[in-house]
Amino acid sequence: MKTLDRFYIDGQWVTPAAAARSMPIVNPATEEVAGHVTLGSAEDVNRAVAAARAAFPAWSETSREERLALLERITALYKARLGDFAEAVRTEIGAPVSLCNTLQAPIGLAHLGAATETLRAFQFETAHGNNYVRHEPIGVAALITAWNWPLSLICAKVAAALAAGCTIVLKPSEIAPLDAALFAEVMHEAGTPAGVFNMVFGDGQEVGARLAAHPDVDVISITGSTRAGIAVAQAAAATVKRVHQELGGKSPLLILDDADLQAAVAQGVGHVMLNSGQTCIAPTRMLVPRDRYDEAVRVAAATANALQVGDPTEPGTRIGPISNKAQYEKVQRMIGTGIEEGARVVAGGPGRPDGLTRGFYARPTIFADVDNSMTIAREEIFGPVLVMIPYDDEAQGIDIANDTPYGLAAYVASGDPARARRVAARLRAGSVRINGGQVDLSMPFGGYRASGNGRENGAHGLAEYLEVKAVTV
């Protein structure tokens, strides 16, 4: 059993500043306590921000080569501990061991590598005749991360902030603290200068709120729910700091009438169910031509029913449990709401899969006969639940795709590349994938509307941590 009762501040592990609360780390596959994490207070945040503020002048003046060298050391140490990272994520959020080994842990390594390459090429100063524009580090960056892809989120934010020359206070999710503690160890072993990277465990109500309101924090980046993003923006407004939000989504997969229907449907279902449906960009609304709708429903149901749900330590398990009890209960409520609203369950449904009596396991669920006005089509469920909506023509399909308060991602399936590109241009989302296009970590990532603002990854992500200064001669 692991006890996390210290924070990483100013280059060392320190005890909480005052009497602190402790919460259990619950293994969602067994519902057993795997450890405890101590939650910090506003006073701990103050100490961490003060350390970051003191370290900023020296770190902000480091050369590109010095920052590259640190990122390369961090990358090498992270790679050496991939197995430890994978095991931590499996324990804390219940992701299947196969997913932990192939994506949950390695995606952090990929983010570190991508940020390193971005830093190599980034132009911090550009000439405009005799004048020039400088891009300078903004200051202290507060980073708040979520539990669903914990290492991806930590590495993406930390690497970009370091590359920009900012100093950092990280608040990882209290639900997934094990991997964050390992990451702080890597940062220490890599020789990160004292105060450049700091980490405080805590919840959003106290530690997150204090970071958002703190006058010595210059930029705050949060990945979480839209509700949490709004709360951070409101708390940050009084100090006029920059706020970068990567929030929720209800992304459409628009399958056009010239697509390979079976492949598109099967791929869409697989994408939704990955990580037990706990992925903000998952295409959880599948839009299908009405004259092929029944066929699509049959394929989706068969695909979902074939997925193996169970013990995340078993290599053959495709879907593990929902990551925590509160989220499991929300997923069950939303499935019940869909049934009450008249949607037809064609796979899955309420409760645990057969044979599983313990753990936060949800059944991979497909709803047919869904209207886009239903709750299950409007609200992010964040579980293994897909809704299927018919449409009559391309224009109506695009309208339904865009009829959402969110705008994080969208997907198009088509046999005509030119048509797919034309449709992609009309979709109101921060990223569009055509025919299963893969993630490119050099490309900007972020959303429209209630999905947040700002961008992560690549040059756009690095720029979020920079101020722009015009110098005229």
Side-chain angles (χ1 to χ4, degrees):
M1 186 173 293
K2 188 76 171 178
T3 299
L4 304 177
D5 57 0
R6 295 185 299 163
F7 310 137
Y8 188 76
I9 297 176
D10 204 18
Q12 56 189 326
W13 292 95
V14 302
T15 56
R21 295 171 293 148
S22 177
M23 69 172 279
I25 303 167
V26 177
N27 183 326
T30 63
E31 300 184 52
E32 295 175 353
V33 174
H36 290 85
V37 58
T38 295
L39 305 182
S41 64
E43 190 173 348
D44 296 303
V45 172
N46 292 342
R47 288 197 296 168
V49 172
R53 175 59 62 194
F56 176 70
W59 180 248
S60 66
E61 292 296 323
T62 53
S63 66
R64 184 197 309 267
E65 289 69 29
E66 288 172 291
R67 297 176 202 170
L68 283 170
L70 177 58
L71 284 170
E72 288 167 352
R73 294 195 301 273
I74 293 167
T75 301
L77 288 164
Y78 185 105
K79 185 176 182 180
R81 300 192 68 176
L82 270 178
D84 295 336
F85 281 117
E87 177 62 14
V89 174
R90 184 196 63 76
T91 300
E92 64 196 1
I93 71 166
V97 64
S98 58
L99 182 66
C100 291
N101 289 333
T102 59
L103 271 178
Q104 282 280 7
I107 192 65
L109 188 65
H111 274 296
L112 291 168
T116 300
E117 293 310 308
T118 297
L119 176 57
R120 290 189 201 282
F122 194 86
Q123 297 298 309
F124 286 94
E125 188 170 299
T126 55
H128 293 255
N130 289 331
N131 304 323
Y132 57 97
V133 173
R134 282 177 53 84
H135 297 269
E136 300 176 345
I138 190 171
V140 175
L143 311 178
I144 298 176
T145 58
W147 44 260
N148 58 323
W149 291 91
L151 289 164
S152 174
L153 303 175
I154 288 172
C155 291
K157 294 181 191 297
V158 169
L162 283 179
C166 290
T167 53
I168 295 163
V169 179
L170 170 67
K171 190 205 88 64
S173 170
E174 66 275 24
I175 293 172
L178 296 174
D179 66 276
L182 291 174
F183 185 80
E185 291 175 8
V186 164
M187 296 295 289
H188 183 80
E189 292 168 16
T192 305
V196 170
F197 171 83
N198 307 273
M199 183 184 71
V200 177
F201 295 120
D203 58 21
Q205 290 76 17
E206 186 157 0
V207 171
R210 179 55 183 155
L211 283 170
H214 202 295
D216 284 336
V217 169
D218 301 288
V219 57
I220 186 161
S221 177
I222 176 173
T223 297
S225 67
T226 298
R227 176 194 54 77
I230 291 170
V232 164
Q234 290 172 334
T239 52
V240 202
K241 60 171 58 69
R242 189 180 300 177
V243 179
H244 165 212
Q245 306 155 311
E246 195 274 285
L247 309 176
K250 195 70 180 178
S251 302
L253 165 55
L254 179 54
I255 300 177
L256 301 179
D257 55 16
D258 59 0
D260 181 335
L261 185 77
Q262 182 156 342
V265 171
Q267 185 178 65
V269 171
H271 195 164
V272 169
M273 302 305 170
L274 183 72
N275 203 39
S276 301
Q278 299 165 128
T279 302
C280 55
I281 60 171
T284 51
R285 291 184 299 141
M286 184 178 288
L287 315 183
V288 183
R290 193 176 299 276
D291 60 0
R292 303 196 68 185
Y293 185 72
D294 290 342
E295 178 187 357
V297 168
R298 288 193 296 272
V299 174
T303 304
N305 286 330
L307 295 171
Q308 181 175 334
V309 183
D311 185 349
T313 66
E314 294 294 331
T317 295
R318 179 72 181 277
I319 301 178
I322 300 295
S323 297
N324 59 84
K325 183 179 181 180
Q327 185 60 30
Y328 172 78
E329 291 174 345
K330 177 188 176 182
V331 171
Q332 296 301 319
R333 286 196 304 271
M334 292 296 286
I335 291 173
T337 297
I339 294 170
E340 292 169 5
E341 290 182 329
R344 176 166 54 103
V345 176
V346 296
R352 295 183 177 91
D354 293 342
L356 295 172
T357 59
R358 188 172 178 82
F360 306 134
Y361 294 97
R363 302 170 70 190
T365 299
I366 308 291
F367 279 110
D369 303 340
V370 175
D371 183 275
N372 200 52
S373 64
M374 292 180 177
T375 302
I376 56 172
R378 306 300 296 176
E379 296 184 13
E380 185 176 43
I381 298 172
F382 224 56
V385 182
L386 169 68
V387 304
M388 301 186 69
I389 304 171
Y391 68 89
D392 294 314
D393 55 34
E394 180 185 294
Q396 186 188 42
I398 292 172
D399 286 345
I400 294 173
N402 287 334
D403 181 14
T404 173
Y406 297 105
L408 188 57
Y411 301 73
V412 180
S414 173
D416 181 345
R419 182 186 182 193
R421 289 169 65 95
R422 175 172 54 78
V423 170
R426 295 184 60 191
L427 296 176
R428 299 286 294 167
S431 64
V432 180
R433 297 194 203 178
I434 295 173
N435 292 331
Q438 298 302 299
V439 170
D440 181 347
L441 297 182
S442 70
M443 298 280 283
F445 175 73
Y448 291 12
R449 300 189 297 269
S451 290
N453 57 66
R455 292 296 181 266
E456 293 190 305
N457 302 342
H460 292 81
L462 179 55
E464 293 290 341
Y465 298 95
L466 297 170
E467 290 283 20
V468 179
K469 176 186 288 183
V471 181
T472 56
V473 179

Short mmCIF file of all heavy atoms in Angstrom, two decimals, residues 1-7 16 18-26 33-41 174 177 201-203 206:
data_model
loop_
_atom_site.label_atom_id
_atom_site.label_comp_id
_atom_site.label_asym_id
_atom_site.label_seq_id
_atom_site.Cartn_x
_atom_site.Cartn_y
_atom_site.Cartn_z
N MET A 1 0.84 -1.19 0.00
CA MET A 1 0.00 0.00 0.00
C MET A 1 0.89 1.25 0.00
O MET A 1 1.82 1.36 0.78
CB MET A 1 -0.93 0.00 1.20
CG MET A 1 -1.94 1.13 1.19
SD MET A 1 -3.16 1.00 2.51
CE MET A 1 -4.05 -0.47 2.02
N LYS A 2 0.58 2.18 -0.89
CA LYS A 2 1.40 3.37 -1.08
C LYS A 2 0.80 4.56 -0.31
O LYS A 2 -0.40 4.80 -0.37
CB LYS A 2 1.46 3.71 -2.57
CG LYS A 2 2.41 4.81 -2.94
CD LYS A 2 3.84 4.33 -2.92
CE LYS A 2 4.78 5.39 -3.50
NZ LYS A 2 6.19 4.96 -3.46
N THR A 3 1.65 5.28 0.39
CA THR A 3 1.22 6.49 1.09
C THR A 3 1.94 7.69 0.49
O THR A 3 3.17 7.77 0.52
CB THR A 3 1.52 6.40 2.60
OG1 THR A 3 0.80 5.29 3.14
CG2 THR A 3 1.10 7.68 3.31
N LEU A 4 1.19 8.62 -0.06
CA LEU A 4 1.74 9.83 -0.65
C LEU A 4 1.40 10.98 0.30
O LEU A 4 0.30 11.54 0.24
CB LEU A 4 1.14 10.07 -2.04
CG LEU A 4 1.29 8.93 -3.04
CD1 LEU A 4 0.60 9.27 -4.36
CD2 LEU A 4 2.77 8.61 -3.29
N ASP A 5 2.33 11.33 1.16
CA ASP A 5 2.05 12.33 2.19
C ASP A 5 3.03 13.50 2.15
O ASP A 5 3.16 14.24 3.12
CB ASP A 5 2.05 11.69 3.58
CG ASP A 5 3.37 10.99 3.90
OD1 ASP A 5 4.28 10.99 3.04
OD2 ASP A 5 3.49 10.43 5.02
N ARG A 6 3.73 13.65 1.01
CA ARG A 6 4.65 14.79 0.85
C ARG A 6 4.44 15.43 -0.51
O ARG A 6 3.97 14.79 -1.45
CB ARG A 6 6.10 14.34 1.01
CG ARG A 6 6.44 13.84 2.41
CD ARG A 6 7.93 13.52 2.52
NE ARG A 6 8.33 12.47 1.59
CZ ARG A 6 9.59 12.21 1.25
NH1 ARG A 6 10.58 12.94 1.75
NH2 ARG A 6 9.87 11.23 0.41
N PHE A 7 4.79 16.70 -0.59
CA PHE A 7 4.70 17.44 -1.84
C PHE A 7 6.11 17.78 -2.32
O PHE A 7 7.05 17.85 -1.51
CB PHE A 7 3.89 18.73 -1.65
CG PHE A 7 2.57 18.52 -0.96
CD1 PHE A 7 2.13 19.39 0.04
CD2 PHE A 7 1.75 17.45 -1.29
CE1 PHE A 7 0.92 19.19 0.67
CE2 PHE A 7 0.54 17.24 -0.65
CZ PHE A 7 0.13 18.12 0.33
N PRO A 16 3.25 18.57 4.45
CA PRO A 16 2.24 19.63 4.33
C PRO A 16 2.47 20.74 5.35
O PRO A 16 3.00 20.51 6.44
CB PRO A 16 0.93 18.89 4.59
CG PRO A 16 1.21 17.48 4.20
CD PRO A 16 2.64 17.24 4.59
N ALA A 18 0.32 22.39 7.08
CA ALA A 18 -0.57 22.35 8.24
C ALA A 18 -1.25 20.99 8.29
O ALA A 18 -1.00 20.13 7.46
CB ALA A 18 -1.59 23.49 8.14
N ALA A 19 -2.11 20.83 9.28
CA ALA A 19 -2.88 19.58 9.37
C ALA A 19 -3.61 19.35 8.05
O ALA A 19 -4.34 20.23 7.58
CB ALA A 19 -3.87 19.66 10.53
N ALA A 20 -3.39 18.20 7.46
CA ALA A 20 -3.89 17.95 6.12
C ALA A 20 -4.87 16.79 6.10
O ALA A 20 -4.84 15.90 6.94
CB ALA A 20 -2.72 17.66 5.17
N ARG A 21 -5.73 16.82 5.09
CA ARG A 21 -6.67 15.73 4.88
C ARG A 21 -6.01 14.62 4.09
O ARG A 21 -5.14 14.86 3.27
CB ARG A 21 -7.89 16.23 4.13
CG ARG A 21 -8.75 17.24 4.87
CD ARG A 21 -9.80 17.82 3.93
NE ARG A 21 -9.19 18.61 2.87
CZ ARG A 21 -9.68 18.73 1.64
NH1 ARG A 21 -10.78 18.06 1.31
NH2 ARG A 21 -9.09 19.49 0.75
N SER A 22 -6.47 13.41 4.32
CA SER A 22 -5.99 12.27 3.56
C SER A 22 -7.19 11.60 2.89
O SER A 22 -8.28 11.54 3.48
CB SER A 22 -5.27 11.27 4.47
OG SER A 22 -4.86 10.13 3.75
N MET A 23 -7.00 11.15 1.65
CA MET A 23 -8.08 10.42 0.99
C MET A 23 -7.54 9.11 0.44
O MET A 23 -6.35 9.00 0.10
CB MET A 23 -8.73 11.25 -0.11
CG MET A 23 -7.87 11.53 -1.33
SD MET A 23 -8.81 12.31 -2.67
CE MET A 23 -9.62 10.87 -3.40
N PRO A 24 -8.37 8.08 0.37
CA PRO A 24 -7.89 6.79 -0.13
C PRO A 24 -7.70 6.80 -1.64
O PRO A 24 -8.41 7.50 -2.37
CB PRO A 24 -9.01 5.83 0.28
CG PRO A 24 -10.23 6.67 0.35
CD PRO A 24 -9.77 8.02 0.82
N ILE A 25 -6.72 6.03 -2.09
CA ILE A 25 -6.54 5.75 -3.50
C ILE A 25 -7.21 4.40 -3.74
O ILE A 25 -6.76 3.37 -3.23
CB ILE A 25 -5.05 5.68 -3.88
CG1 ILE A 25 -4.33 6.97 -3.49
CG2 ILE A 25 -4.88 5.39 -5.37
CD1 ILE A 25 -2.81 6.85 -3.53
N VAL A 26 -8.31 4.39 -4.46
CA VAL A 26 -9.13 3.19 -4.61
C VAL A 26 -8.86 2.53 -5.96
O VAL A 26 -8.94 3.19 -7.00
CB VAL A 26 -10.63 3.52 -4.47
CG1 VAL A 26 -11.48 2.27 -4.69
CG2 VAL A 26 -10.91 4.12 -3.10
N VAL A 33 -8.73 -0.39 -1.21
CA VAL A 33 -7.84 0.76 -1.03
C VAL A 33 -6.41 0.35 -1.37
O VAL A 33 -5.86 -0.60 -0.80
CB VAL A 33 -7.92 1.29 0.41
CG1 VAL A 33 -6.88 2.38 0.64
CG2 VAL A 33 -9.32 1.81 0.70
N ALA A 34 -5.80 1.07 -2.34
CA ALA A 34 -4.44 0.77 -2.77
C ALA A 34 -3.42 1.70 -2.11
O ALA A 34 -2.21 1.51 -2.27
CB ALA A 34 -4.33 0.89 -4.28
N GLY A 35 -3.90 2.71 -1.40
CA GLY A 35 -3.00 3.65 -0.76
C GLY A 35 -3.75 4.87 -0.28
O GLY A 35 -4.99 4.89 -0.28
N HIS A 36 -3.01 5.87 0.12
CA HIS A 36 -3.62 7.13 0.58
C HIS A 36 -2.80 8.30 0.04
O HIS A 36 -1.58 8.21 -0.10
CB HIS A 36 -3.67 7.20 2.11
CG HIS A 36 -4.64 6.24 2.71
ND1 HIS A 36 -4.31 4.92 2.98
CD2 HIS A 36 -5.95 6.40 3.09
CE1 HIS A 36 -5.37 4.31 3.50
NE2 HIS A 36 -6.36 5.18 3.58
N VAL A 37 -3.50 9.39 -0.25
CA VAL A 37 -2.83 10.61 -0.69
C VAL A 37 -3.26 11.76 0.21
O VAL A 37 -4.44 11.89 0.56
CB VAL A 37 -3.14 10.91 -2.17
CG1 VAL A 37 -4.65 11.08 -2.42
CG2 VAL A 37 -2.39 12.15 -2.64
N THR A 38 -2.29 12.56 0.60
CA THR A 38 -2.56 13.74 1.43
C THR A 38 -2.90 14.91 0.53
O THR A 38 -2.20 15.18 -0.46
CB THR A 38 -1.34 14.08 2.28
OG1 THR A 38 -1.10 13.00 3.20
CG2 THR A 38 -1.56 15.36 3.07
N LEU A 39 -3.97 15.60 0.86
CA LEU A 39 -4.42 16.75 0.08
C LEU A 39 -3.89 18.04 0.69
O LEU A 39 -3.99 18.25 1.90
CB LEU A 39 -5.94 16.79 0.02
CG LEU A 39 -6.62 15.52 -0.52
CD1 LEU A 39 -8.14 15.72 -0.57
CD2 LEU A 39 -6.09 15.16 -1.89
N GLY A 40 -3.34 18.89 -0.13
CA GLY A 40 -2.74 20.12 0.33
C GLY A 40 -3.75 21.22 0.60
O GLY A 40 -4.96 21.06 0.42
N SER A 41 -3.21 22.36 1.03
CA SER A 41 -4.03 23.51 1.40
C SER A 41 -3.54 24.73 0.64
O SER A 41 -2.55 24.70 -0.09
CB SER A 41 -3.91 23.77 2.90
OG SER A 41 -2.56 24.12 3.21
N GLU A 174 -6.26 14.19 -7.88
CA GLU A 174 -6.15 13.44 -6.63
C GLU A 174 -6.62 12.00 -6.81
O GLU A 174 -6.31 11.13 -5.98
CB GLU A 174 -6.94 14.13 -5.52
CG GLU A 174 -8.44 14.17 -5.69
CD GLU A 174 -8.93 15.34 -6.53
OE1 GLU A 174 -8.15 15.87 -7.35
OE2 GLU A 174 -10.11 15.72 -6.37
N PRO A 177 -2.91 9.92 -8.37
CA PRO A 177 -1.68 10.55 -7.90
C PRO A 177 -0.43 9.69 -8.02
O PRO A 177 0.68 10.21 -7.90
CB PRO A 177 -1.98 10.82 -6.42
CG PRO A 177 -2.86 9.66 -6.03
CD PRO A 177 -3.68 9.33 -7.25
N PHE A 201 -0.34 17.88 -4.24
CA PHE A 201 -1.57 17.11 -4.36
C PHE A 201 -2.71 17.90 -3.73
O PHE A 201 -2.52 18.61 -2.73
CB PHE A 201 -1.45 15.76 -3.64
CG PHE A 201 -0.44 14.83 -4.25
CD1 PHE A 201 0.65 14.38 -3.50
CD2 PHE A 201 -0.57 14.40 -5.55
CE1 PHE A 201 1.57 13.51 -4.05
CE2 PHE A 201 0.36 13.53 -6.12
CZ PHE A 201 1.44 13.10 -5.36
N GLY A 202 -3.90 17.74 -4.27
CA GLY A 202 -5.04 18.43 -3.68
C GLY A 202 -6.26 18.36 -4.56
O GLY A 202 -6.21 17.85 -5.68
N ASP A 203 -7.38 18.87 -4.04
CA ASP A 203 -8.61 18.87 -4.83
C ASP A 203 -8.81 20.22 -5.48
O ASP A 203 -8.08 21.19 -5.22
CB ASP A 203 -9.81 18.48 -3.96
CG ASP A 203 -10.01 19.40 -2.76
OD1 ASP A 203 -9.51 20.55 -2.79
OD2 ASP A 203 -10.65 18.96 -1.79
N GLU A 206 -9.94 23.48 -3.13
CA GLU A 206 -8.97 24.22 -2.32
C GLU A 206 -7.69 24.51 -3.09
O GLU A 206 -7.35 25.67 -3.35
CB GLU A 206 -8.65 23.46 -1.03
CG GLU A 206 -7.75 24.27 -0.09
CD GLU A 206 -7.86 23.84 1.36
OE1 GLU A 206 -8.63 22.91 1.65
OE2 GLU A 206 -7.17 24.44 2.19
#
